[in-house]
Amino acid sequence: MTAGGQGSTSTRVLERTAEGCVVKRTVLPGGLRVITEQVPGVRSASIGIWVAVGSRDEKPAVAGAAHYLEHLLFKGTERRTATEIAQEIDAVGGELNAFTAKEHTCYYAHVLDEDLPLAMDLVCDVVFDALLAESEMETERGVVLEEIAMRDDDPEDLLHDAFCAALLGDHPLGRPVLGTEQSITDMSRTALHGFYKRRYTMPSMVLAAAGNLTHGDVLRLARKSLRNRLSGNGKPVAARAGRARIPASAKLVVHPDDTEQAHMMLGVRAPDRHDQRRWVLGVLNTVLGGGMSSRLFQEVRERRGLAYQVYSSVASYSDTGHLSIYTGCQPDRLGDAARVVREVLTGIARDGVSAEEVARAHGQLRGSLVLGLEDTSSRMSRIGKAELSYGEYLSVQQTLDRIHAVTPEQVGALAGELLARPVAAAVVGPYAHADDVPAEVHEVIDR
């Protein structure tokens, strides 16, 4: 079928559900991909422009540029001041915001369905017509530096960045999304404006929308807001893929901090998001530390009372990933906590996991996925990230089928492979240097 109007382009129906939800995709002239999910029975709509640029695309001299730019685009456009942008979204009770990750940036709005035209106009305005005024750049420089300072005052946030540096080293994925005080202080408008013009192109973008809307309405509003930008023969940029060239190493990074707790994160490199074992990795992560019945929670907190918080998590990039474990405890208990974590890891690598554990993980992942789609913002994020990161759409049922196909044997095999890899760790707490960290932490790394 075709969508009428300026620059008509063939439209594909990706899914129709029994509940009446319809997912459609169109590539507009210039290479902009538009993907929508019509959700009957709701009164809201969410729209987002996803840009395939993040902190990994920065050179060291402009570290933090993607995040800095995300802030600055809201500071005024050709048609609106920063105050007017805020007033217009507040006047309809909506939300207008953005976030930057290591491989993408997203600008989004969540509004009542009747306010979708305003949401489209605002999001397109800030993404494509921002002024990047020198005066606003100076004002926002101070805001970003405050955000870096706030990160440094939050042990868990600081720990995550330290862990990425320990595991990924000098690779761009190992750098913090926020950049550094030095890089933000030194960044010029010329450098940031050049980054904006080079990276924010139609072929590298996806416009995603979900809620009480139709695909035709979204195309009409996009054409109205973008006008002559929708021209040319640009083709969508393929989803990132490849293999990151990161030397394997075991490293401990320590950030001395006068905290009441010691915070530890340790982990290993894991499959990238294109690896079909990502479904197995998701189950492994859930069994290991994804909930109250997980091995880490039961052993570290419930049986021994060593920590209030302990969990595992997965990060998946286009060409690598990592599986990590976090715990925070009293400094004099860090050694015991590290020892128990090591025992849990050794046990899974040696003996695998049980069918009961895998069945619980299947149910937990199913509930998390389905319950997470109760609002239109989550649905918009799901289809937008799928198009940008994979270039393909999987229905909820297809995703659930892949999760439920994971067997205990597959989980055990992946656990054995991953947990034999070099371990990196980061610690934030009252330790002057690495030698002050309990020996058990070093033993996990040097196992």
Side-chain angles (χ1 to χ4, degrees):
M1 60 188 296
T2 13
Q6 172 191 351
S8 293
T9 310
S10 62
T11 295
R12 286 195 296 133
V13 178
L14 304 181
E15 183 183 17
R16 289 186 189 274
T17 71
E19 296 77 22
C21 294
V22 183
V23 180
K24 295 183 179 181
R25 178 186 185 270
T26 297
V27 180
L28 292 175
L32 177 67
R33 287 159 283 177
V34 179
I35 185 166
T36 67
E37 181 172 10
Q38 183 177 355
V39 187
V42 300
R43 285 297 314 279
S44 69
S46 296
I47 179 175
I49 292 181
W50 296 76
V51 191
V53 58
S55 58
R56 76 169 298 169
D57 300 298
E58 304 157 349
K59 294 181 179 179
V62 290
H67 173 257
Y68 196 171
L69 182 61
E70 172 223 308
H71 276 245
L72 201 57
L73 295 194
F74 289 96
K75 304 305 289 184
T77 71
E78 297 285 348
R79 295 189 288 124
R80 295 177 172 95
T81 65
T83 300
E84 288 169 340
I85 292 170
Q87 288 174 340
E88 288 189 40
I89 195 67
D90 283 351
V92 298
E95 178 189 10
L96 178 66
N97 213 330
F99 61 86
T100 306
K102 299 212 173 188
E103 295 190 316
H104 61 258
T105 307
C106 177
Y107 300 82
Y108 65 91
H110 185 209
V111 295
L112 295 176
D113 50 10
E114 63 196 56
D115 297 314
L116 179 61
L118 173 65
M120 177 73 78
D121 192 45
L122 282 171
V123 172
C124 289
D125 197 22
V126 299
V127 170
F128 294 101
D129 283 323
L131 295 175
L132 274 67
E134 186 77 51
S135 59
E136 295 291 356
M137 183 170 177
E138 291 308 314
T139 300
E140 209 60 23
R141 192 191 308 272
V143 174
V144 175
L145 290 173
E146 286 295 334
E147 192 171 353
I148 292 175
M150 185 170 67
R151 186 276 317 271
D152 291 344
D153 284 341
D154 186 320
E156 204 167 335
D157 285 349
L158 180 60
L159 181 72
H160 181 268
D161 282 348
F163 169 72
C164 288
L167 185 69
L168 303 172
D170 292 332
H171 190 277
L173 288 172
R175 301 188 204 124
V177 171
L178 300 179
T180 66
E181 288 187 21
Q182 190 66 52
S183 66
I184 297 301
T185 299
D186 292 346
M187 202 173 304
S188 67
R189 182 188 181 277
T190 299
L192 194 59
H193 187 267
F195 185 88
Y196 176 45
K197 291 301 182 183
R198 287 193 307 274
R199 298 290 184 173
Y200 278 54
T201 62
M202 289 290 185
S204 67
M205 294 183 179
V206 171
L207 192 160
N212 188 20
L213 49 79
T214 69
H215 192 73
D217 286 342
V218 172
L219 291 180
R220 176 178 56 80
L221 293 171
R223 290 187 177 106
K224 181 180 178 182
S225 294
L226 298 175
R227 298 182 184 179
N228 60 358
R229 288 189 173 87
L230 297 175
S231 61
N233 298 315
K235 295 183 179 179
V237 174
R240 295 181 201 247
R243 180 173 295 178
R245 297 179 180 177
I246 305 171
S249 63
K251 185 178 181 182
L252 171 64
V253 172
V254 177
H255 272 277
D257 201 346
D258 187 20
T259 55
E260 293 295 322
Q261 280 192 314
H263 301 265
M264 177 183 70
M265 182 171 282
L266 55 88
V268 296
R269 299 256 314 268
D272 61 62
R273 64 170 172 257
H274 299 292
D275 193 312
Q276 289 305 305
R277 294 176 300 168
R278 68 182 185 272
W279 313 107
V280 182
L281 179 61
V283 173
L284 170 60
N285 175 58
T286 304
V287 171
L288 179 61
M292 291 189 296
S293 67
S294 68
R295 291 202 187 184
L296 284 171
F297 192 92
Q298 288 295 312
E299 292 296 330
V300 175
R301 174 172 166 165
E302 295 296 283
R303 293 197 174 94
R304 294 174 172 85
L306 292 172
Y308 174 74
Q309 193 173 30
V310 58
Y311 61 83
S312 63
S313 60
V314 168
S316 297
Y317 308 115
S318 59
D319 49 4
T320 190
H322 55 74
L323 172 66
S324 61
I325 296 165
Y326 164 83
T327 190
C329 59
Q330 295 297 314
D332 60 358
R333 291 185 163 192
L334 182 61
D336 289 336
R339 176 180 52 78
V340 175
V341 168
R342 182 184 182 187
E343 291 172 358
V344 170
L345 296 178
T346 301
I348 286 185
R350 181 188 62 232
D351 304 323
V353 299
S354 68
E356 291 78 11
E357 287 176 308
V358 171
R360 281 199 301 271
H362 287 167
Q364 186 176 342
L365 291 169
R366 179 182 186 275
S368 176
L369 172 60
V370 176
L371 292 175
L373 298 177
E374 289 291 298
D375 65 89
T376 57
S377 293
S378 298
R379 288 176 177 265
M380 182 278 292
S381 292
R382 180 175 177 272
I383 61 176
K385 284 194 288 188
E387 177 63 38
L388 194 73
S389 299
Y390 298 100
E392 66 174 355
Y393 173 78
L394 289 181
S395 69
V396 172
Q397 189 57 53
Q398 287 173 318
T399 302
L400 293 175
D401 289 345
R402 283 161 173 75
I403 292 170
H404 282 274
V406 173
T407 66
E409 292 75 21
Q410 290 173 319
V411 176
L414 183 60
E417 176 186 335
L418 296 186
L419 300 179
R421 293 180 177 179
V423 175
V427 173
V428 174
Y431 309 104
H433 46 72
D435 291 342
D436 295 333
V437 173
E440 291 88 344
V441 177
H442 294 276
E443 289 169 4
V444 177
I445 300 173
D446 299 333
R447 75 198 193 296

